[in-house]
Amino acid sequence: MLKHPVNIIIRGWRCGNYPILTAIYIFAAMASTSNEDLFKNIISHSREYGFIFQSSEIYDGLSAVYDYGQNGVELKKNIRDYWWKSMVQLHENIVGIDAAIFMHPTTWKASGHVDAFNDPLVDNKDSRKRYRADVLIEDHVAKMEAKIQKEVEKARTRFGDAFNEHQFRATHVRVLEIQQKIDAINQRFKTALETGNLEEVRKIILDLEIACPVSGTRNWTEVRQFNLMFSTQMGSVSEDASTIYLRPETAQGIFVNFLNVQKTGRMKIPFGIAQTGKAFRNEIVARQFIFRMREFEQMEMQYFVKPGTEMEWYHTWKETRMNWHRSLGFPEGKHRFHDHLKLAHYANAACDIEFEFPFGFKELEGIHSRTDFDLGNHEKFSGKKLQYFDPDLNQGYIPYVVETSIGLDRMFLAVLSQSYHEEKLEDGSERVVLRIPSFLAPVKCAVLPLVKKDGLPEKAREIMDRIKFDHLCMYEEKDSIGKRYRRQDAIGTPFCITIDHETLQDNSVTIRYRDTMLQERIPVTQVEEILMEKVDMATPLRQLT
Ligand code: GAP
């Protein structure tokens, strides 16, 4: 059922002899689409329009590994650029590097990844399926939370405007009962993990009567720790070969280069080093499309500060990063902070910026106060001093580090899922439109001759040849203009320029806006001006400062 008219547009301009409607109502068709269906639609849309393909698809794919297609690679590059510019270009005291994926194996001893980068896994003996023990328990808890939510929604319907959710949750007997059980499970699970008691983790799974979704049985093996790092051999002769790892985070490439950059760049604390690049994790449960992948890309920045000032910088970076996310103009309430209760071995404070994906609020970015753990350990393991000499204090120290770490693929999924809209128009037709922020859109402008004759293609090419130096544009002359508009909507192109017979006479074109479908007649000379103004990354960047 279509409920919400989201826009009314009066169109009074015309584009050649393409029929013009004077008023078009757009309805949000998503009101009738469940989140699960919506997510499925997003996945198939991204394949159909060249954003994301399953890796090695002709061999039936490789689990949790994906390739970016012709439009995906552009969107991904633009997100990366926006992050890079906001970090490196806008901060005089942040510089970038590009470290190798392979690092000396001792790096991962020093960082703690060899000993502690583990997930607890458990197998079902009947289905032979492998699961993350923590995910089984978390999913069970999520189901209990869903029961509470159901009670809340029932009461909301019953009491209408007078409903006070906070009071309801604090007083309703059944809700309180479920919440108490949830708290008890969480506490028991937290203690088991903290004390490394894997037998207790297994007992929790058994006590909660969690069954394998495939076999339906509770025939579980013991819980074991599973290291998430991929390893390979370096060296051509087996006797000489040593085990090396594919980096599970880009951060360590920054730590081991800390003094190289500080000295060669004459950096003064506080300063930052930024990096984007691939990271690899042998995730046991890889699901939710590109949300959890085995090969993914991170955008990380390590900010080196004077010990004792790290909390101040931690709060500053929390705010700075949240502002960056908000600058994309997504609706209020799509982002939230989630403070970590259980801190990683290297952190004295940590939080996530969560985003509301179609499958709920999930981690998009992490902000961590990493103390001097990494530099301190690299100093210990390498035997090389990694100290900063502070000219103001006239003494050396190991700096503390505040890290911001965001998954580029996850950010891509956030943009894609937020931009995807299924719309029904008043004339009965439907469209899928990606309302991607213009400066991130893969293609900025489509140049479309109305027909393939009468000199229109030549004129269109002339325009294309002028604007292609500044923006990625697409020239298209196949199919009706309506079909071409829909194709551009589907890949998120913010502007279409249509060249018709009138163009040959008065050098004017029709510009069509993706979001409103509004069409306007403008002189050709204005095209570049409009594009510059609307798709320039400098505009949102200016708002960040
Ligand atoms: N250097 C710190 C670090 O790596 P993390 O929380 O493990 O911290 C940071 O990862 C970000 O990397 C996450 O917030 C997420 O966006 C992304 N990320 C982590 N694992 C991922 C995976 N398997 N697939 C896609 N993105 C992932």
Side-chain angles (χ1 to χ4, degrees):
M1 203 180 53
L2 299 167
K3 282 186 188 144
H4 306 300
V6 291
N7 220 337
I8 303 173
I9 304 138
I10 308 297
R11 295 204 296 184
W13 295 273
R14 76 193 174 84
C15 165
N17 52 6
Y18 179 60
I20 297 292
L21 301 171
T22 50
I24 289 194
Y25 289 78
I26 306 172
F27 292 86
M30 269 143 51
S32 61
T33 312
S34 75
N35 278 354
E36 208 174 302
D37 288 344
L38 170 66
F39 191 40
K40 280 190 195 144
N41 293 352
I42 292 170
I43 295 171
S44 56
H45 184 88
S46 68
R47 190 197 172 287
E48 193 181 343
Y49 286 93
F51 283 87
I52 294 171
F53 307 123
Q54 177 81 58
S55 158
S56 336
E57 199 183 81
I58 58 166
Y59 295 104
D60 295 333
L62 186 64
S63 168
V65 186
Y66 292 91
D67 297 338
Y68 284 81
Q70 68 278 16
N71 290 316
V73 74
E74 293 296 336
L75 174 56
K76 192 179 181 197
K77 179 175 75 59
N78 293 340
I79 297 172
R80 191 192 296 110
D81 281 354
Y82 187 49
W83 180 88
W84 188 267
K85 282 171 194 272
S86 72
M87 285 295 192
V88 178
Q89 201 167 312
L90 294 192
H91 293 94
E92 288 173 22
N93 65 345
I94 299 181
V95 291
I97 62 163
D98 182 17
I101 286 170
F102 290 140
M103 299 183 71
H104 192 284
T106 312
T107 308
W108 306 109
K109 265 307 247 184
S111 67
H113 283 82
V114 170
D115 296 322
F117 197 53
N118 301 320
D119 274 343
L121 69 83
V122 64
D123 295 283
N124 182 269
K125 290 181 193 165
D126 300 316
S127 68
R128 293 167 178 266
K129 290 276 174 206
R130 179 162 288 177
Y131 298 92
R132 259 175 69 176
D134 54 334
V135 172
L136 285 178
I137 295 169
E138 278 163 20
D139 283 354
H140 183 86
V141 167
K143 279 185 200 149
M144 295 170 79
E145 281 166 349
K147 280 185 193 162
I148 294 183
Q149 196 56 35
K150 213 167 154 191
E151 295 288 346
V152 170
E153 294 312 323
K154 252 171 34 195
R156 195 192 307 282
T157 315
R158 196 164 355 120
F159 297 116
D161 287 346
F163 181 61
N164 179 334
E165 182 174 338
H166 181 72
Q167 195 185 7
F168 179 80
R169 282 177 182 269
T171 52
H172 190 268
V173 178
R174 186 165 149 67
V175 166
L176 284 174
E177 239 175 55
I178 302 174
Q179 189 58 53
Q180 265 168 16
K181 281 186 190 157
I182 291 175
D183 294 344
I185 295 169
N186 281 343
Q187 186 52 48
R188 200 175 152 197
F189 181 46
K190 184 167 174 263
T191 311
L193 283 186
E194 276 169 0
T195 53
N197 188 346
L198 297 180
E199 185 43 39
E200 172 68 355
V201 175
R202 180 170 186 270
K203 258 192 108 246
I204 298 173
I205 293 173
L206 293 176
D207 290 351
L208 296 177
E209 301 186 346
I210 296 174
C212 165
V214 177
S215 68
T217 70
R218 297 178 199 131
N219 198 4
W220 297 109
T221 62
E222 304 94 80
V223 176
R224 282 158 294 144
Q225 288 291 17
F226 175 78
N227 193 286
L228 297 186
M229 280 197 294
F230 282 102
S231 62
T232 187
Q233 299 295 314
M234 185 175 252
S236 53
V237 190
S238 62
E239 305 88 69
D240 297 340
S242 61
T243 299
I244 57 164
Y245 300 98
L246 273 72
R247 66 182 178 198
E249 62 171 10
T250 59
Q252 297 303 324
I254 294 179
F255 289 124
V256 299
N257 278 299
F258 154 70
L259 264 195
N260 286 340
V261 174
Q262 190 271 318
K263 293 219 156 100
T264 56
R266 292 179 296 124
M267 310 297 288
K268 267 190 86 181
I269 269 179
F271 74 91
I273 304 178
Q275 174 170 221
T276 70
K278 289 277 178 134
F280 304 83
R281 295 182 190 179
N282 196 1
E283 300 282 359
I284 303 166
V285 184
R287 55 182 180 178
Q288 287 157 333
F289 193 36
I290 56 168
F291 181 81
R292 197 174 299 286
M293 300 157 88
R294 296 203 165 101
E295 174 181 340
F296 57 101
E297 193 165 336
Q298 288 186 316
M299 307 191 285
E300 298 200 299
M301 193 278 300
Q302 315 293 321
Y303 203 66
F304 300 91
V305 305
K306 197 161 114 188
T309 64
E310 72 274 13
M311 277 308 148
E312 199 185 303
W313 285 112
Y314 170 70
H315 291 294
T316 303
W317 278 109
K318 266 177 83 168
E319 201 184 313
T320 307
R321 291 303 304 148
M322 188 57 108
N323 285 344
W324 184 85
H325 287 283
R326 294 204 170 122
S327 71
L328 296 182
F330 294 161
E332 278 287 305
K334 290 300 283 185
H335 299 94
R336 70 181 186 195
F337 284 117
H338 169 76
D339 290 322
H340 289 199
L341 297 176
K342 183 177 179 294
L343 294 172
H345 56 281
Y346 51 73
N348 66 359
C351 73
D352 297 334
I353 293 178
E354 293 187 336
F355 179 77
E356 192 179 19
F357 291 95
F359 40 85
F361 272 101
K362 296 276 176 201
E363 174 187 347
L364 174 57
E365 169 157 10
I367 294 138
H368 313 123
S369 172
R370 288 180 80 131
T371 67
D372 59 354
F373 175 87
D374 300 271
L375 289 180
N377 266 12
H378 284 307
E379 192 174 89
K380 208 157 67 196
F381 278 74
S382 68
K384 311 264 163 47
K385 258 192 174 306
L386 287 179
Q387 304 221 343
Y388 168 77
F389 182 79
D390 193 324
D392 301 332
L393 300 177
N394 201 27
Q395 71 177 63
Y397 55 77
I398 297 180
Y400 271 43
V401 171
V402 175
E403 164 186 76
T404 72
S405 173
I406 176 170
L408 175 51
D409 312 86
R410 247 177 230 190
M411 188 60 208
F412 184 104
L413 184 58
V415 172
L416 190 68
S417 53
Q418 187 55 45
S419 305
Y420 180 91
H421 288 83
E422 295 169 359
E423 292 176 353
K424 191 149 190 133
L425 311 178
E426 203 203 27
D427 64 358
S429 65
E430 287 174 10
R431 72 163 182 165
V432 171
V433 55
L434 295 185
R435 296 172 183 269
I436 300 173
S438 300
F439 66 98
L440 295 181
V443 177
K444 304 295 193 253
C445 177
V447 179
L448 316 170
L450 187 65
V451 288
K452 263 196 279 184
K453 54 181 185 181
D454 304 337
L456 300 190
E458 289 76 9
K459 183 71 188 169
R461 282 268 172 222
E462 206 182 280
I463 296 172
M464 177 81 185
D465 284 345
R466 275 225 315 268
I467 54 180
K468 71 181 181 191
F469 294 100
D470 292 309
H471 312 283
L472 185 70
C473 301
M474 189 184 275
Y475 176 87
E476 259 214 316
E477 57 181 28
K478 255 213 208 119
D479 293 327
S480 73
I481 194 77
K483 274 194 186 154
R484 281 181 271 166
Y485 284 159
R486 289 289 174 275
R487 274 205 297 271
Q488 295 303 326
D489 289 344
I491 64 168
T493 307
F495 304 102
C496 289
I497 304 291
T498 304
I499 289 84
D500 56 23
H501 293 90
E502 221 175 297
T503 312
L504 301 181
Q505 288 158 23
D506 64 4
N507 226 15
S508 67
V509 291
T510 299
I511 185 165
R512 174 190 181 267
Y513 301 96
R514 174 197 68 195
D515 294 347
T516 57
M517 297 189 293
L518 188 81
Q519 295 183 22
E520 207 180 346
R521 199 82 200 170
I522 55 164
V524 165
T525 47
Q526 236 183 45
V527 171
E528 280 155 281
E529 236 171 78
I530 291 183
L531 283 181
M532 269 305 176
E533 187 196 320
K534 304 279 186 204
V535 304
D536 190 8
M537 207 172 263
T539 310
L541 283 172
R542 253 180 222 114
Q543 282 163 19
L544 291 175
T545 52

